[in-house]
């Protein structure tokens, strides 16, 4: 036995079996009763990934009787410290996944029934079907089960020992597994076979120790990993997508050890998105329903699994043949195992990560192809060429002089790989120089001689040391080396020369070269075939092109040029398009033109080319090939999307809005995917959830605002930009009559529904007969049409729109809704639920049916029932109780003729049991009740004639954000921050004491910053601009007294000094985030100027003070150098927004700068005078500053200084007599 190793007795079982299994396991008292009888039929149960003993392990965690530590995994000894892995550790993940590079299953070496050791506290042996192949030892619940309960990598097994009673123990680096065979003979056979496989595996590992991966490098083999919820399981599982398999692990530790639950072969898999965070991985044997932590995470998982399926379905025949040569089994550059990419001109086999960097070198240096997917490229001659040259011969030339300090490994970063590959192939820094290097004439002569022989290594050395591939041979019959090779019958020499016909000779860069954006050479893509083509155009295609307007042309895409010929026999093209000039590629909808599938190519010179094919599959291949040829390698992940439009555009963001940057954009459905210039990952924008979509200037800038995040897309080229504008506008609008096709809020409620509910809540809760009375049909039709077309641009206003018209619009929307709110699939189930007599059973059935609805339907139903729940609370005024509302909305929501009473019964039940069915907690209910009370008070005021149109109800907190500090306040259009402050204090009966500077603050939780509102600021406009992460709070402004003293005692009207400055990435992640830097600032009465240093004469930036919003505080994740800082927002007349941060060295500096900002922005009036109208109207005398005015709070700065001239030496004298 290995000391410290825990005996692993854990299968893994569905949590649904917990109740059934935990009870009997705990009741067992006698070992003999528990021992199974040979041949006893096993109890029938649902097939699962897990087993009973795992349940006992996971959920029967009784504390130890001796008060010792609780063991994990029910091991007989406490868990040892986490092991330290090295490159030779047998249990590394890289070894455990080594078999994942190919979709072909390893053949089973041995299989049979074994009893697995019992868990602690139980004596029941688990009978398992055990399989052994070259990679894994796995055990299953049954012989025909497709998915194991546990797999153990053969590479992690250190030894196998016999422990008597037909038992044997499999010992790994950290855990032990005990099995029992039917007989000693069977046990000995298992031991012998296991030992043989383990020894073979160890001997292979020793041969490649130099390139083994450490555990940290295992991620090289992993496409995606992390925790996911799996339906039916109590705890999250650690899931890994690697190659053509998906692995499931109990936790992250098991993942590090390589000991998992099961893996899923993706060649039979299919991935389907289910809801906002959920997706299904479907196989013929089981559906795995996963749930991610966020929408973005879900998209990443789905993409990773789809790529895994593609890899599993790819043809590995070429790869297997290439790998027959030992050196080709590992990447020529970093040493990763089983590389499935290659450079066909350099004749090296490389891994996926190195292939990405090879593409960045450009097709003149290296032509990258896949061993599995680019099947047409791999001719017999090319495969044989890789057998003759391959990684061994190629690296004898290219890597002859690599210093150990510069070599890369599988764990190297992308930047390290890039620098190494540039040095290796572009500069030829490590190559073995040919003796003739530098003598061009002799190199050419030697090449002509070499190609007539079979010495490929000599040809390679000559060619990449300067010999010209098309040099003159002096033989009229064979003018080129290629002709000489053909004449000599050297097929492989011909193949090598053909692939290097356009190769560039390596050369060292003198003085280095700084990479410019989008100057990286594009990947080399080859494709050809017949296409239908129209003449190029200088304006958008506005009319349908008939089939007769297309001409059939032979087209080729090769070496960065798309050429079109009269036919496939012509040698001279009719025209060419350089891929580096392509700016946009558009995939038209089927049958847009006379040819079934068409696509458009836009180039920089404002020309448009229209191509077409009758075969959708062939058109899709052309689209992918062209996109791959012109899209920057950094934006390569966009190519995996089913895009409608892809290309590059200019955008603005960050601090410097004057400088436009270039990014890559792809439109897929209603999502715009963006790869920004300074970002390595694409960011999706949900267009239907945009808060604003507008065009500024003369159709020059497209503005997209999502969750108060802003992106400005500029039209550098009119032709493709107009296409983008129209496509984005269409994608951002409602596309159909179902709920999911509408414009949505962040909570997945259609914007149309949200607009109507919000308006009626504010203006119509007490309207008699609301929803029963019909509005004007013409107005309803017009309003519904406007909302359906673009609800984002519609603002419902009291006075302009009637309550009954809006209510009728909402009802008609639901009645005309495609598929209905309850969906056709589940609508009858909802109606049948009304027949249940037991109320609890009925509520339970409603909750079950609620879970079956699509995400948008579920969110919409909750929002609507919540609204109707509020409406019926005002039934005394509006005469619409629950029953009346049900009569109206039952037929509307179920789209019936009103004769079936069940529809109304469903709605009545949903309103009556709203709290239980929708899981509304006490806090939510209290908040709703408070809002209802506030609305009732507001309506009472309205009936007495004191209500003003446009009043708004909001939640304001006292001193801190918590439930007991909430106050729901009616906000008239004229209410100021000072009036709101006194309103809150009055409600809580708080008496202001001397020097209590109570103020109202706007708090931005996302930015971790707050801004005291000026006492004269109107509150209502601020409320309309607040996001979901902001709120208002009334509390004391502790620094006001010090700021008043500073302003009264300072000399001069401006403020200047050094502050630490940081530009934040703009609200969509754009711009630079470069840390904090010292800058010199001058703030005067009109503007704030930024200088690079004190001695600078010209400011780098200048902002009008009136357009600045200054917040106290900086979010911690930015790691500000001090805790005394501001967050500053700037918005110009074009509504372009910027954001940055300023840090002061001391708290005193912070107060002085902030006081100056407030002084300048508010004309010197920081605090109201004692004669304020608000205070005069209050019965209670305000005594916050006593009975004297300490300093004049109004007037110009010179008057303020004069009033304290006598106290200039000691400003605190002002306060001593108060």
């Amino acid at each position: 036995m290995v000391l410290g190793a825990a005996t692993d007795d854990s299968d893994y079982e569905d949590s649904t079996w917990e109740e059934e299994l935990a009870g009997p396991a705990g009741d067992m008292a006698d070992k003999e009763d528990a021992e199974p009888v040979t041949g006893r039929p096993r109890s029938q149960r649902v097939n699962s990934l897990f087993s009973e003993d795992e349940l006992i392990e996971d959920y029967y965690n009784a504390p130890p009787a001796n008060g010792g530590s609780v063991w994990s995994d029910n091991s007989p000894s406490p868990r040892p410290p986490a092991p330290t892995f090295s490159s030779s550790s047998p249990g590394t993940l890289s070894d455990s996944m080594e078999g994942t590079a190919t979709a072909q299953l390893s053949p089973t070496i041995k299989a049979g029934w074994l009893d697995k050791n019992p868990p602690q506290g139980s004596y029941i042996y688990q009978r398992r079907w055990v399989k052994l192949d070259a990679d894994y030892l796995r055990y299953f619940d049954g012989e025909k089960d497709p998915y194991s309960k546990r797999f153990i990598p053969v590479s992690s097994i250190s030894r196998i020992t016999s422990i008597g009673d037909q038992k044997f123990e499999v010992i790994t680096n950290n855990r032990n597994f005990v099995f029992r065979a039917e007989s000693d003979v069977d046990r000995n056979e298992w031991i012998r076979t296991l030992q043989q496989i383990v020894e073979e595996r160890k001997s292979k590992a020793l041969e490649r120790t130099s390139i083994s991966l450490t555990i940290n490098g295992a991620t090289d083999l992993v496409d995606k990993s992390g925790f996911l919820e799996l339906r039916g399981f109590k705890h999250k599982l650690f899931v890994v997508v690697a190659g053509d398999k998906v692995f499931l692990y109990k936790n992250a530790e098991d993942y590090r050890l390589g000991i998992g639950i099961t893996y899923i072969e993706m060649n039979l898999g299919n991935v389907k998105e289910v809801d906002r965070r959920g997706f299904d991985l479907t196989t013929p044997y089981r559906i795995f329903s996963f749930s991610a932590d966020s929408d973005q995470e879900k998209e990443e998982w789905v993409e990773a699994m789809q790529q895994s399926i593609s890899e599993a379905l790819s043809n590995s025949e070429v790869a297997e043949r290439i790998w027959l040569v030992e050196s080709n089994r590992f990447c020529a550059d970093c040493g990763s195992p089983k590389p499935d990419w290659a450079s066909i001109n350099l004749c090296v086999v490389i891994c996926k990560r190195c292939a990405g960097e090879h593409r960045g070198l450009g097709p003149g240096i290296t032509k990258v192809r896949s061993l599995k997917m680019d099947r047409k490229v791999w001719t017999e001659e090319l495969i044989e060429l890789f057998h003759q040259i391959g990684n061994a011969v190629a690296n004898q030339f290219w890597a002859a002089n690599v210093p150990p300090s510069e070599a890369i490994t599988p764990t190297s970063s992308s930047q390290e790989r890039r620098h190494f590959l540039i040095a290796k192939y572009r500069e030829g820094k490590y190559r073995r120089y040919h003796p003739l290097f530098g003598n061009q004439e002799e190199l050419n002569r030697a090449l002509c001689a070499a190609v007539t022989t079979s010495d490929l290594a000599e040809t390679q050395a000559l060619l990449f040391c300067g010999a010209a591939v098309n040099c003159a041979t002096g033989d009229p019959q064979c003018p080129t080396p290629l002709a000489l090779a053909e004449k000599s019958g050297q097929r492989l020499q011909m193949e090598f020369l053909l692939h290097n016909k356009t190769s560039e000779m390596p050369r060292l860069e003198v003085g280095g070269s700084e990479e410019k954006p989008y100057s990286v050479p594009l990947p080399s893509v080859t494709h050809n075939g017949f296409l239908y083509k129209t003449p190029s155009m200088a304006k958008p295609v506005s009319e349908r092109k008939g089939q007769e307007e297309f001409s059939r042309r032979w087209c080729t895409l090769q070496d960065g040029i798309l050429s079109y010929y009269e036919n496939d026999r012509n040698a001279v093209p009719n025209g060419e398009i350089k891929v580096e000039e392509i700016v946009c590629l558009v995939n038209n909808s089927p049958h847009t033109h006379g040819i079934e599938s068409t696509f458009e190519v836009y180039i920089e010179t404002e020309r448009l080319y229209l191509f077409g094919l009758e075969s959708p599959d062939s058109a899709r291949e052309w689209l992918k090939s062209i996109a791959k040829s012109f899209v920057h390698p950094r934006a390569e992940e966009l190519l995996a999307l089913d895009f409608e439009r892809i290309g590059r555009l200019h955008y603005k963001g960050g601090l410097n809005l004057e400088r436009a940057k270039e990014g890559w954009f792809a439109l897929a459905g209603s999502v715009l995917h963006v790869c920004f210039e300074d970002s390595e990952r694409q960011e999706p924008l949900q267009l239907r959830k945009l808060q604003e979509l507008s065009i500024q200037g003369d159709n020059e800038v497209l503005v997209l605002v999502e969750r108060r995040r802003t992106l400005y897309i500029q039209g550098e080229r009119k032709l493709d930009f107009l296409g983008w504008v129209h496509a984005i506008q269409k994608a951002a609008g409602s596309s159909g009559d179902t709920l999911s096709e509408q414009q949505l809020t962040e909570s997945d409620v259609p914007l149309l529904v949200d607009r109507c509910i919000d308006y009626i809540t504010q203006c119509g809760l007490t309207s008699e007969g609301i929803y029963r009375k019909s509005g004007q049909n013409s107005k309803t039709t017009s309003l519904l049409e406007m909302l359906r077309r673009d609800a984002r641009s519609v603002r419902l206003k009291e006075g302009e729109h009637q309550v009954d018209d809006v209510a009728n619009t909402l009802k008609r929307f639901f009645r005309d809704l495609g598929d209905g709110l309850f969906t056709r699939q589940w609508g009858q189930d909802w109606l049948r639920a009304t027949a249940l007599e037991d109320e609890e059973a009925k509520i339970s059935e409603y909750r079950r049916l609620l879970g079956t609805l699509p995400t948008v339907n579920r969110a919409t139903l909750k929002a609507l029932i919540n609204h109707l729940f509020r409406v019926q609370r005002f039934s005394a005024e509006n005469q619409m109780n629950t029953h009346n509302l049900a009569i109206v909305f039952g037929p509307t929501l179920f789209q019936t003729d009103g004769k079936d009473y069940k529809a109304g019964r469903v709605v009545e039940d949903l309103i009556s049991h709203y709290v239980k069915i929708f899981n509304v907690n006490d806090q939510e209910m209290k908040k709703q009740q408070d809002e209802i009370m506030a609305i009732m008070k507001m309506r009472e005021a309205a009936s007495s004639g004191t209500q003003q149109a446009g009043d708004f109800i909001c939640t304001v907190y006292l001193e801190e954000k918590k439930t007991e500090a909430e106050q729901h306040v009616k906000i008239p259009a004229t209410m100021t921050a000072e009036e709101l402050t006194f309103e809150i204090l009055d409600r809580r009966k708080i008496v202001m004491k001397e020097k209590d500077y109570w103020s109202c603050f706007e708090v931005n939780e996302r930015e971790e910053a707050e801004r005291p509102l000026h006492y004269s600021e109107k509150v209502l406009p601020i409320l309309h601009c607040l996001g979901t992460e902001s709120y208002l709070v009334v509390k004391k402004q502790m620094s006001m007294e010090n700021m008043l003293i500073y302003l009264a005692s300072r000399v001069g009207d401006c403020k200047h000094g050094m502050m630490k400055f940081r530009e934040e990435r703009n609200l969509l992640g754009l711009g630079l985030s470069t840390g904090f830097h010292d800058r010199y600032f001058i703030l005067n009465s009109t503007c704030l100027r930024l200088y690079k240093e004190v001695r600078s004469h010209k400011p780098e930036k200048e902002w009008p003070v009136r357009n600045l919003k200054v917040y106290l505080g900086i979010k911690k994740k930015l790691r500000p150098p001090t805790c005394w800082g501001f967050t500053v927002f700037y918005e110009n007349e074009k509504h372009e927004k910027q954001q940055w941060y300023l840090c002061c060295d001391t708290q005193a500096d912070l107060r002085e700068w902030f006081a100056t900002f407030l002084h300048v922005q508010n004309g010197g009036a920081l605090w109201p005078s004692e004669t304020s109208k608000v205070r005069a109207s209050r019965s209670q005398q305000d005594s916050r500053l006593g009975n004297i005015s300490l300093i004049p709070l109004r007037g110009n700065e010179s008057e303020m200084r004069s009033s304290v001239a006598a106290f200039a030496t000691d400003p605190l004298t002002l306060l001593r007599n108060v």
Side-chain angles (χ1 to χ4, degrees), residues 6-7 9 57 61 69-80 120 175 250-251 253:
T7 301
D9 44 34
E57 174 190 48
N61 292 325
S69 61
V70 178
W71 296 336
S72 179
D73 285 342
N74 291 319
S75 57
S77 59
R79 182 188 295 274
Q120 183 179 357
R175 296 184 184 178
K250 180 181 175 183
N251 51 43
E253 182 185 354

Side-chain angles (χ1 to χ4, degrees), residues 455-604:
D455 193 348
L456 292 165
E458 177 70 4
T459 301
Q460 179 189 47
L462 289 165
L463 200 58
F464 290 110
C465 280
V469 69
N470 290 317
C471 64
T473 63
D475 184 351
Q477 301 297 322
C478 303
T480 64
L482 179 61
L484 286 174
E486 183 178 9
K487 180 180 179 181
S488 304
Q490 297 296 332
R491 294 182 303 109
L492 299 186
Q493 292 279 12
M494 290 174 61
E495 188 76 12
F496 186 75
L497 292 173
L498 282 170
H499 286 297
N500 284 286
K501 189 166 58 175
T502 58
S503 294
E504 300 173 12
M505 175 187 167
R507 54 177 58 86
L508 287 170
E509 300 289 342
V510 180
S513 63
E514 183 180 349
E515 285 191 18
K516 299 178 181 178
Y518 304 102
S519 65
V520 177
L522 297 169
S524 175
V525 181
T526 302
H527 200 75
N528 58 60
F530 281 102
L531 286 173
Y532 290 93
K533 177 187 173 296
T534 65
S536 64
M537 293 162 273
K539 60 181 181 179
V541 185
S542 56
E543 298 178 353
R544 187 176 190 270
K545 297 287 184 182
Q547 186 172 0
E548 68 278 3
E549 297 182 65
F550 287 83
S551 303
R552 192 167 182 258
R553 295 287 181 262
W554 175 257
C555 299
T556 63
L557 176 63
Q558 187 172 7
D559 296 330
I561 297 176
L562 175 61
S563 307
Y564 45 95
Y565 301 77
E566 190 71 29
N567 54 54
D568 57 348
R569 297 183 299 276
N570 280 30
V572 180
N574 290 6
E576 294 180 340
I577 303 171
K578 293 182 179 180
V579 296
E580 63 189 16
E581 295 179 354
I582 297 177
V583 295
C584 184
L585 179 65
V586 178
N587 180 17
N588 291 322
S589 302
H591 304 291
T592 299
H593 299 288
I595 304 294
E596 180 178 356
S597 301
T598 57
F599 59 90
E600 301 169 11
V601 178
Y602 294 77
I603 62 174
E604 287 178 336

